[in-house]
Amino acid sequence: MSVEPTGIPVLILKEGTQRTAGRDALRNNIMAVKAISEALRTTYGPKGMDKMLVDSLGDITITNDGATILDKMDIQHPGAKMMVQIAKGQDEEVGDGTKTAVILAGELLRQSEDLLDKGIHPTVIVSGYKKAAEEAEKIIKEISEPIDINNKEILKKIATTSLYSKAVQGSRDKLAEIAVEAATRVAEKRGDSYFVDLDSIQIIKKYGGSLLDTMLIDGVVIDKEVVHPGMPKRVENAKIALLDAPLEIEKPEIDAEIRINDPTQMRKFLQEEEEMLKRMVDKIAEVGANVVIAQKGIDDVAQHFLAKRGILAVRRVKRSDMEKLERATGGRIVSNIDDLQPSDLGEATLVEERKIGEDKMVFVEGAKSAKSVTILIRAGFERLVDEGERALRDALSAVADAIKMAKIVAGGGATEVEVAKRLKEIAPKIGGKQQLAVEAFARALETLPSTIAENAGYDALEIMMKLRAAHANSNGKFMGIDVYTGNIVNMKDIGIIEPAAIKLNAIKAATEAATMILRIDDFIAASKSTGAGAGEKGKKEEGEKEEEKD
């Protein structure tokens, strides 16, 4: 609402719209983001706690994965929803470091509150934060060290570091080895750099057994069983036909009626159906296929003919699995059986049905392309299988990031303290009010190692003093917190290393979110629609009908 010089109010917004302007709008958003950041802080680091999340249907999720927590929280506040977007962006871009990004964003906004109280304008804080982020990026690139991406020991350390904060303690080494092996197998060199398509890695979950029973399969696993008991359950040197066509007699698209007045006509009709199915199977056998994998159905009669021919068949396979099989076996998905040629067949050294837990699955191993692998995750119960998958995805992403960028930094809070130290040295050179924002950025970064110490049960203040003292030395850039002893040690020596890409992306994402919220000075929320308007409309229609009757 605004007021004319004559004193008459002019309504601009719809009735019921809520508007918060100026400092109140900013405080409101900062408070919401801080609440989200605080919720995630207790899960940060190797000794972080887990969250139990129950959705509206009563499904339970127990995790300490940042992206999963925010996704399942069903957040309503618009400012807080920004944090969900950060977590998703970080997860999609680098696959790990979601908590780092969200906690840092919350801390940047907490630090900005003190600057706002001192009368510093939000635009000045935004400008200072952006300069600090640019400097932090330069510092990380300077202190990061190149690695040999063919050195699997270093890649295993990166995967293990990612798994330290997950609920898979006992099987960490096994999962790290699987993550390294899978990521290196699908890595491709494009120009001067490497590309890792994690979608080429199929992940299948089956509860039963333990996490240590998790295995890497050289090929593709289909979560289906062989369709007919008379078919072979194991085929070596497989020639695989990938069909996007049903091995069934298609029903006519329009309603049809067939009049039969003689039993012999009925028999001919059924025989013709059989003959059509037999011709389809004969065509498949003629091209040399001994395995059929169909995206659609296979008729019972067709199953019988395939079994007689000694062909193993699987039906109703997911499209995504068909595409993985196409890439892995070198075959081609065929939509018309008449067009099937020997050149369309895929190849694999072994296709076999195996029983995993209570279910039967078909394993396609020794595929023509080595760029296709499957990880079969096992665990004692469903929740742990889900958490194992989340942990493994983070480890795969961390290894993929290291292969793509080939630069690492130290974990355990070492990188954050080193960057904060150097930002404090740079701040006076920037000068003016922006200097205060750069110093605030450095303090926000120091919150991350402080939180690691706090969650491990140590005195955060004492740990931070020791860390700052260790980083005062010229060769102290790798000094971080050993959460198991409480000592300040060289993180590189104990194998706690992370891809530089994760830190760079987390700082960028956190800075962008914090600066975006700092620039908001007006919060306008439209009124929620109620059933009143709909009710009035209904009454009006009823009245009109009554008039028509009269």
Side-chain angles (χ1 to χ4, degrees), residues 469-485:
H471 280 262
N473 297 323
S474 57
N475 59 348
K477 66 179 182 179
F478 285 126
M479 302 304 283
I481 310 159
D482 182 348
V483 292
Y484 298 101
T485 63

Side-chain angles (χ1 to χ4, degrees), residues 40-49 99-100 103 165 416 447-449 451-452 455 503:
L40 281 190
R41 271 186 73 167
T42 55
T43 68
Y44 191 60
K47 294 287 186 86
M49 306 298 277
K99 285 179 283 192
T100 304
I103 293 166
S165 62
E416 289 84 352
T447 307
L448 295 166
T451 303
I452 292 172
N455 289 343
K503 296 290 184 195

Side-chain angles (χ1 to χ4, degrees), residues 222-224 227 248 293-298 314-319 322:
I222 307 162
D223 197 359
K224 299 282 179 183
V227 293
E248 296 172 330
I293 296 173
Q295 191 179 333
K296 294 175 182 169
I298 300 176
V314 184
R315 65 178 169 181
R316 307 213 182 279
V317 176
K318 289 188 295 188
R319 180 74 192 182
M322 293 293 287

Side-chain angles (χ1 to χ4, degrees), residues 524-541:
I524 302 164
S527 60
K528 289 182 180 176
S529 58
T530 60
E536 284 170 17
K537 187 181 176 185
K539 285 175 188 173
K540 186 180 176 185
E541 285 174 0

Side-chain angles (χ1 to χ4, degrees), residues 23-62:
R23 197 55 61 90
D24 288 340
L26 187 52
R27 298 270 182 214
N28 191 352
N29 280 327
I30 290 174
M31 205 183 305
V33 174
K34 276 165 56 183
I36 295 292
S37 178
E38 284 298 322
L40 281 190
R41 271 186 73 167
T42 55
T43 68
Y44 191 60
K47 294 287 186 86
M49 306 298 277
D50 290 354
K51 302 282 179 196
M52 179 185 275
L53 303 145
V54 185
D55 67 13
S56 55
L57 298 172
D59 286 340
I60 300 165
T61 305
I62 299 169

Side-chain angles (χ1 to χ4, degrees), residues 93-342:
E93 189 65 25
V94 288
D96 201 3
T98 49
K99 285 179 283 192
T100 304
V102 173
I103 293 166
L104 181 57
E107 200 55 37
L108 286 171
L109 289 170
R110 186 197 299 279
Q111 294 292 335
S112 70
E113 278 187 305
D114 295 338
L115 301 178
L116 291 166
D117 290 340
K118 289 175 183 173
I120 298 172
H121 196 274
T123 309
V124 176
I125 301 171
V126 166
S127 181
Y129 277 179
K130 283 186 174 172
K131 276 191 179 172
E134 285 169 16
E135 292 298 332
E137 194 177 329
K138 288 178 192 169
I139 295 163
I140 288 172
K141 284 178 180 173
E142 187 186 325
I143 64 173
S144 63
E145 293 196 350
I147 58 163
D148 176 10
I149 60 167
N150 296 314
N151 186 336
K152 289 192 177 178
E153 277 304 308
I154 287 178
L155 294 178
K156 189 185 171 186
K157 285 176 184 176
I158 290 165
T160 309
T161 303
S162 174
L163 293 167
Y164 264 113
S165 62
K166 312 295 178 190
V168 291
Q169 298 290 337
S171 46
R172 194 164 47 221
D173 287 345
K174 175 80 181 278
L175 294 182
E177 280 174 17
I178 287 173
V180 170
E181 192 61 38
T184 50
R185 286 234 199 138
V186 300
E188 297 174 43
K189 190 160 190 180
R190 294 185 181 176
D192 295 332
S193 59
Y194 279 85
F195 174 76
V196 182
D197 181 10
L198 293 181
D199 289 338
S200 297
I201 301 169
Q202 184 187 23
I203 295 179
I204 289 184
K205 302 179 288 181
K206 283 287 171 193
Y207 67 90
S210 79
L211 273 166
L212 288 168
D213 295 327
T214 298
M215 63 181 91
L216 180 70
I217 293 121
D218 177 19
V220 179
V221 177
I222 307 162
D223 197 359
K224 299 282 179 183
E225 59 183 278
V226 174
V227 293
H228 193 278
M231 288 177 178
K233 300 291 186 286
R234 178 186 171 94
V235 175
E236 292 181 6
N237 298 320
K239 300 286 184 186
I240 304 165
L242 303 171
L243 302 180
D244 185 19
L247 278 170
E248 296 172 330
I249 303 300
E250 292 184 42
K251 293 179 176 64
E253 288 184 14
I254 53 170
D255 289 337
E257 189 177 295
I258 299 171
R259 295 181 186 274
I260 293 173
N261 26 3
D262 186 336
T264 56
Q265 288 178 320
M266 182 67 181
R267 190 171 178 181
K268 279 181 184 174
F269 181 75
L270 293 172
Q271 276 179 340
E272 185 55 34
E273 266 199 358
E274 274 190 29
E275 279 301 315
M276 288 171 76
L277 290 166
K278 189 172 184 298
R279 282 197 294 272
M280 286 183 189
V281 174
D282 287 346
K283 172 68 178 175
I284 290 166
E286 274 170 29
V287 296
N290 52 14
V291 175
V292 171
I293 296 173
Q295 191 179 333
K296 294 175 182 169
I298 300 176
D299 189 273
D300 292 351
V301 176
Q303 289 177 29
H304 165 72
F305 287 128
L306 286 165
K308 278 182 78 175
R309 289 277 196 161
I311 297 171
L312 183 154
V314 184
R315 65 178 169 181
R316 307 213 182 279
V317 176
K318 289 188 295 188
R319 180 74 192 182
S320 57
D321 287 351
M322 293 293 287
E323 287 169 0
K324 284 187 176 77
L325 282 163
E326 189 177 39
R327 282 199 300 270
T329 64
R332 190 172 71 87
I333 297 170
V334 176
S335 300
N336 188 337
I337 293 170
D338 293 333
D339 295 339
L340 189 64
Q341 300 292 329

